[in-house]
Amino acid sequence: MTTLVHSAGTLTRDALTVLQPGFTGTTAPDWLLRRLGEGLASVGLFGRNIADPGQLASLTAQLRAEREDVLVAIDEEGGDVTRLEVRGGSSFPGNLALGAVDDTALTRDVARELGRRLADCGVNLNWAPSADVNSNPSNPVIGVRSFGADPQLVARHTAAYVDGLQSAGVAACTKHFPGHGDTAVDSHHDLPRIAADLPTLQERELVPFRAAIAAGTKAVMSAHILLPALDGSHPATLSPAALHGLLRAPVAEGGLGFDGLIVTDGMEMQAISATYGIERGSVLAIAAGADAICVGGGLADEDTVLRLRDALVRAVRDGELSEKRLADAAARVRALARWRSAGAAVGTAPAPGIGLTAARRALRITPNGPFEPLTAPAHVAAFTPLANIAVGDDTPWGVAAELARLLPGTETATYPADTAATAGTPALIAALLKAAADRRIVAVVRDVHRHPWMADALRTLLAARPDTVVVEMGVPQSPPEGAVHIATHGAARVCGQAAAETLTGRRPATGA
């Protein structure tokens, strides 16, 4: 039997401290407040917890009334992945748009303003930025969340983002280590495998993480991906070779020398939960070198917290998990909870228009001959793929709402994959043409290169109506098509606004 150095109470507190759970509702439930008093040091917020900035500020104040130094974390990447503006769409373009502009000062300013808004609401840890190099165009979960496919570009913008966010007093959590860009599988659903050898990982995946560490990122989030070049048995989140042996190891020994907080990606994701279960997975993650267990995107109840707490305590008592390793992990969580950026941008003037400015600069316009701006109400045809879980389907996207503000009477219709599968492309396009009548058609697509049905529908539409305008709001991998082709490099609300302005040649009177 293992001899415990500390009391059972200390062990239980440490087990609670390493958890980053979620909850339901827009006020903190009693069970969560009670656990904060017992040692819980972090809380994760999601779209379901947020109605508006005032409500969010009240919620974080409620948490801090129970524990002043609580870490309040959120998954606010901006762009397609937003929790702060989940129901209206983000005021900031995502990483791909910033990478397309390739102005690190702009990226820093965008991250600083996003951080300022989070800090104003009482959030002090952001599970961002994504430092993944999107080297696989078929990637179903990263895509526009990445700054791009070039490691050096991703590295300089990751560093700028970390700097901007943390200058506002919000800790960055750079993800998804060691890099989720070269996958064709979404780890929310299954375990991705990256076959790259170690030299490729060093020259591609790890370059942005080195830059983030050099920029002082306070946290790094691990990925649920299998990299046989590092560990043929365990995904990175559960791999001592990946976390302790690569991320933590000194640079002189071939590691990245990171000394901050290591956070896991959501443990309820199928890549972990379906193979190991969340209790076993959490024990293995802490043993491998992780310091904080993220859970709460899908499991958001007290029972989950208690199950994980008890699994960690039991693992220490059974000798499966080192008591010192758990204590070290808890100490790192508490250290970040006490952190205040020495250079925090307290009182910095807001920059409310910076996101729209960035979205406008990110547009890439390819005309196919002379293009006359739209002056009459249009018909917007949105070819809609299934949203990935990271983005969710609660956040609106497209150009219809923004175009209707500039051209009242503009109508929209959605044409999803299942309609194409059941009705067939000819019938789908026939219905579209009938609905559009003599109106100009604006076809909105998202990652058309990844969806054969979408590419087929677009070709059929353009054959019938060559004057159709095409707006690509995903990764612009396919050749530009349409009377004019607009690549927005993301589907945030400001990306749609920038595209609508270009289509009409006008900006709203109150526009930035």
Side-chain angles (χ1 to χ4, degrees), residues 41-68:
S42 309
V43 174
L45 301 182
F46 298 87
R48 63 177 179 250
N49 304 121
I50 300 168
D52 55 61
Q55 169 271 324
L56 178 55
S58 296
L59 170 58
T60 59
Q62 183 186 17
L63 297 171
R64 289 209 164 80
E66 191 63 46
R67 178 171 183 149
E68 185 178 1

Side-chain angles (χ1 to χ4, degrees), residues 93 96-97 359 362-364 399 471-474 476 486-492 495-496 498-499:
L96 189 65
L363 292 186
R364 297 296 178 265
V399 302
V471 181
E472 168 63 86
M473 304 196 79
I486 299 177
T488 61
H489 299 92
C495 297

Side-chain angles (χ1 to χ4, degrees), residues 62 141 154 202 209 254-255 258 260 270 288 318 350 359 383 392 408 447 468 474:
Q62 183 186 17
V141 67
V154 175
Q202 293 283 1
F209 288 97
F258 179 61
Q270 291 295 301
D318 291 346
F383 295 101
D447 291 343
T468 295

